[in-house]
Amino acid sequence: MPPRILKNLLAKVKGKGDKNITRIRRRRALADVAWKAYPRLQLLLFVIGYVWLLTIPSTLHGQRTYIDENALQPGQVNTNWNWGDVQRADRYLEHLELMRDRNASSHETATFISNEFRKLGIPSSTQEYGFLTTSGVVSGTNAYAVLSSPRASGTEAMVISASRLSRTSEGDGTPNLRGVATVLSLAACFKGYSLWAKDLVFVISDGYLDGMQAWISSYHGVTQSNLVAEPLQLSSGIIWTALNIDYPGHSFSHLGVFFEGLNGRLPNQDLINSFQIISRHTGGVPVLVYEHIDQNEFPDLVPDLVPQWLPDGIRRHDTTKEYAYRAQNVIRHVGYQARGRASGVHGLLHQFHIDAITLFAVPAQGPHGFHAIGRVVESTLRTMNNLLERLHASFFFYLLVGSTTFMKIGSFLPAPVLVSTAMLIGGMGAWTRARWTRQEQAEYATEKGEEDRDVPAERWVERSRPIVPALFVIVYTHALGIVLFHLCTRPWIAAGGKVSSSTFPGMSATNGRQLASTLLFATVSVAAGAGSLLARSESSSTKSPNYMILKTFNLCLASTVISVTSVLNFSLAATLAVFMGLPLTLSVPSRSVTAGLAKFALYTLFALGWLLFTPGEIAQAVKNWEILRVWFAPFVCIVYTPLVLQAGIICLLRP
Amino acid sequence: MILTLLFLFAVCSICSAEETFSERLILSPNRDGTVTSSFAFTTLLRDAQPRDPAKLAEEDESQHYTLFPLALGQILRDNAITELHLTLNAGKWDYQNWGYPEEEGVGTGAELWAWMGEGAMQTADERWKNLRNALAGLFCASLGSLDEQRTTSPVLTFQPEGDLPQASTSHELRHGTLPSENVCTENLTPFLKLLPCKARSGIATLLNPHRLFDADWHGMGVHVRYLEGAGIEVRLAFQAVLNPVRYSGDKKRDWSLSSLFDRSIERSCPVAGSSDIVVQVPPFGAIITEPAPSANNAGSIAYDVRRVDKPLDVGMRWPDEAWFEYPLDAPPSALMIRRTLKGSDQYKGRLSVVLTNSAMAEVKTSYLETMPWLLQFYLHSLRVICDGIPRDDLVSIISYTPPVPHARPSLLQALLTLPANSTVELTMDVVKPFLRYTEHPPDAHRGWDLPPAVFVPLDANATGGRLRLRRVYTSVLLVDLAVPDFSMPYNVIIMSCTLIALIFGSVFNLLTRKFVVVSLAKAKRAAVDNNNHVRRD
């Protein structure tokens, strides 16, 4: 029997009399509370969402990494790589350096590499390719070799690759000679053993990213309209995992792991964790995330991110340093993932469901060299060789904040989702406000011709909500986005360079591009402003103002985009949440035209500022779209910019 | 007593006179430094006939064998099998470097095919099922999985190697491949038990599992055929491609029996009618180490194991080589076939077969695909491109049996014409069906192995008569099918149950609820009026 207090409480909630009437009253009261509290709820969600985003690098979150797939068994083998293999790598390096010094053509180098593979008894071939892009033709020659493992049926394969250009400064042209030499010498070493259960495919791709894109597309028989590539002469089975070796310096102190792939794809975390364990225990080389030096290893080091003006007690405090170190990694990660960029050659393989990472030998005076990297790569490959199935455990969503610390999806995903929920609530609120307005009771009474004795001074009246003008504006802005994207991929914006100087004689390439960008900015801004005419009709007491409907759609659309993106590409969703959350919520029309125009200009700058301030970024994004099919450039032009422009148009509409 | 013993001895000698056993090992060095070793152990049961399937219901005559493997003989007679071929192979045969194999069945995994007479109470399919289950037990292999989903009857490619008895009216072929079968010691041990001398003497001594299963390629085969006028022949074969360059520390390709097999022949098998080792001698550079051969033909030398001094350890050296240098030029291969599955989609893909004919004459070849229903062909999308030019006239389809999902594989037999010195690419769109969730194997994310395609190049000069055509196997394929996330079935079950409960609950609520008009009390009206905007009942 429940206690009396509970009974009384229940009776109070249930009320007396007809229970249906009570129920309806209760429902109305609740709705009333929700209506009154929604701006506060919205604010609360915004605050929680943004604060959560800020706490991501803190030690509140995160747990130690572990191996989920039992078959991997990392670091359980004796490696066969020895000093003889190191000496052979040195000899390959001498040859490659000689070829570099005499400026050997890329075809010549590829042929040399292919011949070296053949001398080892491994079937090898070369592949020529060319990409036609806005900024010209990108061409080169890949060399690759397929070592069919003894007794294996050749249905499964692993890839060991090195690009000819290192990823240093995102492919600034530093050659990856030692990486190539390592792969060649590893091939010679692996040929001598029968323990491989999968075929080994060695790929020396030309250029930084373009060579591998051509090779892996041909391998999977995928055609790309602007790619001309020779068909591959050798084939193997399905590739499950791949390692890319990047060793640009003379020696290295740490091995950095790079894992972000195209369009925000990530490899299975087990691969990173296995490599980390192997490198630490088999190779004796500490592992870094990217090339960020871990402050735990060097206690005197203060990460650059910590501001100089902070008092020394706070600056040198462990918590501050740890926060700054993690923030550094998270920012780097978001920089790659949000822009859909691959942080190395490995990133091109993710699109074909291949788990791949890049091992980056962080250039230093020492102490490690070929001996350490060879052992680490061999042992990591042996671990990959153990796989009986594709890596499939739920380890694809993670945030690697340190080399041994990671965050599970549950600890970072809610942040952007909360922001998007706040926006959704704002949108729903606007929708309801568009419907209902308060009116003087007298006016209401005369309209309805109704007499009532105990009426309040004001009451709510319904209005119709015309959605067509708002939809026109939305369709118009997105269409404008498509035009903008089309124009951005034209040579005079994307490339600048030679085309500009020929179009605008007597003008330097940079100036030409600046002029073109400014013109485009002005045109699109004016066109967007003109879009406000589509929804400029007067509001009346029976019709809701257009800006409210537009705001509803704008907020709901933006909120949907953020929540859907959050499970595909967390970084992009978080960036969108930061850039669109508050600004879109705060857009309101002004009574004065000047104020409205000023606000519109601000929003335009927010939507299109990238045209003026980041020319390099545009060229890179367009190149990535054309060669690697990275969706970032079209996404910004067709989704982000129109959404913010819609918020700007709201400011121009009548209140 | 003595008389009885004498009588028994006489009976046995009569028996052995009806059975002959011969063994042979062919060793041939290859251009990439490897050595192909082909063992063949042949037992001939003189004047024996395959059992007439019409008499399967009657009591069988008793079987007394001395050399012929009884375990195998019982299986053959119980199911009235006329011809049987079972191969269990591991690895990918490299036709370019290793040439054409002595034993032609080199498809990866297990392959079983049998010709059976008709006219029995039991249908051919029932006997085929008994046969594969019996062989699975005999050889410890998962041949039981060669069920209806993998069984076809490709009569054009798999013609009988022996004769079919005239007595029976017609014969049926059953064929199945299991590419995912792994071959290891547990298959070799029962294989050795079928030999009259086991692995104790004779050439079979060399069958050392440690070395054979470390080879670049290894495979065993059991072949039973009926030869008109001779009898029933059982050939137990083992092939291995051993790699002396890998074994030796100094990267030389010199080999000897003891270096390849870690054994030498200490004594010969007493019941063997012939026991030969044949060594193919490459044109230059190689010298044969002792002992002196029994026979010396052009290009090959032979040893009679029964006569030469024991222990016998044949070997070959290349004295001029400091280490083995791999040949850089392209291998001299007339026909090169590469079959791949393109596309990374989980729904559709493209099967691509590239055939390079480097001979100066046109080659006609038959093409066989026995594909489980896990990969379904879009036959209309079959395209042939010869050196970049569309040439759909080069292929003619002889027969096509479409697959039945969850039941029957597809069978495609076609004839290809390869112009002289050309590369022909054959492409065909394929779809990957969805499996029922119980049909997924325990290692669902590995994918499914698909059997090799088989080509039989037809000799242009053949003019009738009995011509032995040789089969060429392509590599096997792995196909990724859409796999549900098996790692969280309970989450999925809970989630879907919740959804169903929610939907059911609300629908049930709406269906059973009574809708009435409720008028709110007048006195409360003023207080409630403010909320009226939310909903008007």
Side-chain angles (χ1 to χ4, degrees), chain A residues 21 25 27-28 31 119-121 151 153 155-156 194 220 232-233 235 238 352 388-390 392 436, chain B residues 91 108 213-216 246 326 338 340 343 443 445-446 476 478 480 518 524 528 532-535 537:
Chain A
I21 294 174
R25 285 217 184 98
R27 199 189 295 161
R28 285 188 182 175
K119 280 183 200 163
L120 298 172
R151 297 169 298 165
S153 59
T155 52
E156 301 155 28
S194 61
H220 289 94
L232 299 182
Q233 296 300 313
S235 64
I238 290 181
F352 296 104
L388 302 170
E389 298 178 64
R390 244 181 225 288
H392 60 274
W436 297 97
Chain B
T108 306
F213 295 124
D214 187 41
D216 282 11
R246 174 147 59 80
Y326 288 94
R338 204 171 68 238
T340 46
D443 51 348
H445 287 268
R446 178 168 184 274
V476 292
L478 192 67
D480 275 326
V518 179
K524 296 271 178 185
V528 180
N532 247 1
H533 65 275
V534 177
R535 185 159 158 202
D537 290 86

Side-chain angles (χ1 to χ4, degrees), chain B residues 164-177:
Chain B
L164 300 176
Q166 302 298 320
S168 273
T169 45
S170 66
H171 280 78
E172 288 253 347
L173 169 70
R174 290 291 177 273
H175 173 266
T177 29

Side-chain angles (χ1 to χ4, degrees), chain A residues 396-524:
Chain A
F396 288 96
F397 296 104
Y398 52 87
L399 205 56
L400 210 60
V401 288
S403 61
T404 55
T405 322
F406 80 108
M407 284 169 70
K408 283 194 166 175
I409 184 165
S411 55
F412 59 82
L413 193 74
V417 173
L418 284 177
V419 172
S420 93
T421 315
M423 292 168 78
L424 185 72
I425 290 175
M428 306 290 239
W431 182 240
T432 319
R433 272 190 291 124
R435 177 84 166 166
W436 297 97
T437 184
R438 270 189 180 286
Q439 241 177 22
E440 292 295 318
Q441 183 54 45
E443 204 180 324
Y444 175 78
T446 40
E447 263 176 40
K448 293 270 178 180
E450 190 186 307
E451 286 297 324
D452 217 326
R453 282 189 303 276
D454 50 348
V455 284
E458 272 184 338
R459 60 174 294 155
W460 292 98
V461 283
E462 276 182 84
R463 293 186 290 190
S464 68
R465 291 178 286 202
I467 59 165
V468 175
L471 281 183
F472 270 144
V473 172
I474 287 170
V475 171
Y476 174 75
T477 43
H478 286 284
L480 199 65
I482 295 174
V483 174
L484 173 68
F485 173 62
H486 185 70
L487 292 175
C488 280
T489 52
R490 298 303 99 194
W492 22 275
I493 300 278
K498 304 148 213 155
V499 197
S500 306
S501 30
S502 59
T503 327
F504 310 103
M507 197 178 279
S508 79
T510 333
N511 282 341
R513 182 164 57 196
Q514 266 171 6
L515 184 71
S517 309
T518 317
L519 274 177
L520 187 61
F521 176 80
T523 322
V524 176

